[in-house]
């Protein structure tokens, strides 16, 4: 099966988790784009969506799905999003599309996080994919020095500005044997807005190539 086909199947499978009359949390990326298409086909059954990025907001709006503010919606029943890596415990690296901060906020606000991936995203140990860290621009060098001390090799994703007006450092060659501890440590560096490690709150359900992972 091609990677794209795996993404399509997972995106469509996630539609089965959507309940009538609900507001759905929507992630970002090419896998989520398939989910948004499926959501468009059932838009009359939902109240709307809370979006994690300008990119997803555009796709949702084009399909006539109301995009709501998380402050108004309150807690959500369901959040659907992709990932760059997923370990056997459902812990994730996210943020390849630079939308990690809003993604983490919506994941935290949601009762169930359904992660949709193709088989290539499955890993035994997180860390082959560079871990994105969103930083306040003036803190870029300071945060990079601290990330070096934590054993990673940060590289500035030059030219990319997040939806929140911040910058991204991608941390390469990280030994992530304890991703929960690393997530906590990175969060403590002044100037860090968000780290793309979703370990403390990972996925509740993982769908791989359209099939629910046991
Ligand atoms: C965006 C993300 C995406 O979920 C992640 O990059 C996977 O994207 P894709 O589905 O296009 O492979 O975290 O910030």
């Amino acid at each position: 099966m091609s990677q794209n086909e795996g993404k399509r199947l997972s995106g469509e499978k996630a539609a089965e988790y959507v309940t009538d009359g609900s507001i759905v949390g929507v992630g970002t990326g090419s896998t989520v784009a398939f989910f948004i298409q499926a959501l468009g086909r059932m838009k009359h059954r939902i109240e709307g969506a809370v979006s994690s990025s300008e990119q997803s907001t555009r796709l949702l709006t084009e399909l006539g799905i109301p995009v709501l503010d998380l402050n108004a919606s309150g807690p959500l029943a369901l959040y659907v999003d992709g990932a760059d890596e997923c370990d056997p415990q459902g812990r994730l690296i996210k943020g390849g599309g630079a939308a990690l901060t809003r993604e983490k906020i919506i994941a935290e606000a949601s009762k169930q996080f359904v992660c949709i991936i193709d088989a290539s995203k499955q890993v035994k140990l997180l860390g082959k994919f560079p871990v994105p860290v969103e930083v306040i621009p003036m803190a870029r060098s300071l945060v990079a020095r601290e990330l070096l001390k934590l054993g990673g090799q940060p590289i500035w994703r030059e030219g990319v500005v997040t939806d929140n007006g911040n910058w991204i450092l991608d941390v390469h060659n990280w030994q992530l044997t304890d991703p929960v501890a690393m997530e906590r440590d990175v969060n403590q560096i002044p100037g860090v807005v968000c780290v793309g490690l979703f370990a403390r709150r990972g996925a509740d359900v993982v769908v791989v190539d359209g099939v629910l992972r046991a």
Side-chain angles (χ1 to χ4, degrees):
M1 182 188 305
S2 73
Q3 196 181 355
N4 202 48
E5 182 66 356
K7 290 181 182 201
R8 185 182 69 77
L9 291 172
S10 290
E12 291 183 356
K13 177 76 179 171
E16 294 176 16
Y17 291 84
V18 176
T19 51
D20 285 359
S22 63
I23 300 171
V24 185
V26 176
T28 299
S30 55
T31 316
V32 166
F34 287 114
F35 173 64
I36 294 175
Q37 290 296 325
L39 212 51
R41 294 193 284 273
M42 57 189 292
K43 66 180 172 194
H44 301 297
R45 288 174 42 199
I46 61 168
E47 201 178 318
V50 171
S51 171
S52 61
S53 63
E54 301 303 325
Q55 180 191 319
S56 290
T57 297
R58 255 194 315 278
L59 295 176
L60 289 159
T61 307
E62 275 166 20
L63 291 173
I65 300 169
V67 176
L68 308 170
D69 180 353
L70 183 64
N71 291 309
S73 72
L76 304 175
L78 174 68
Y79 178 54
V80 176
D81 199 356
D84 300 301
E85 275 187 0
C86 177
D87 80 1
Q89 288 84 40
R91 301 178 300 192
L92 313 168
I93 292 178
K94 288 187 47 53
L100 59 160
T101 300
R102 296 187 191 186
E103 291 174 340
K104 197 175 270 197
I105 292 168
I106 305 177
E108 189 71 23
S110 302
K111 187 149 190 277
Q112 187 180 42
F113 177 1
V114 175
C115 182
I116 50 175
I117 55 173
D118 64 271
S120 72
K121 307 287 183 64
Q122 296 193 102
V123 295
K124 284 213 169 64
L125 195 67
L126 298 174
K128 199 160 177 207
F129 190 93
V131 180
V133 179
E134 180 166 352
V135 299
I136 300 287
M138 73 169 285
R140 176 177 59 86
S141 299
L142 174 127
V143 173
R145 287 194 294 276
E146 294 301 314
L147 292 169
L148 272 171
K149 288 184 204 160
L150 289 174
Q153 290 177 321
I155 295 180
W156 179 22
R157 207 186 293 179
E158 261 190 275
V160 171
V161 178
T162 71
D163 287 347
N164 312 307
N166 298 315
W167 292 351
I168 298 282
L169 293 169
D170 290 307
V171 188
H172 294 250
N173 303 320
W174 233 350
Q175 293 295 316
L176 293 171
T177 45
D178 188 348
V180 175
M182 191 62 93
E183 182 178 5
R184 186 195 56 221
D185 291 349
V186 176
N187 277 330
Q188 282 170 2
I189 304 170
V192 167
V193 176
C194 186
V195 53
L197 279 170
F198 287 51
R200 186 186 61 81
R201 200 274 184 263
D204 302 302
V205 170
V206 180
V207 177
V208 185
D209 287 349
V211 178
L212 176 63
R213 192 170 83 179

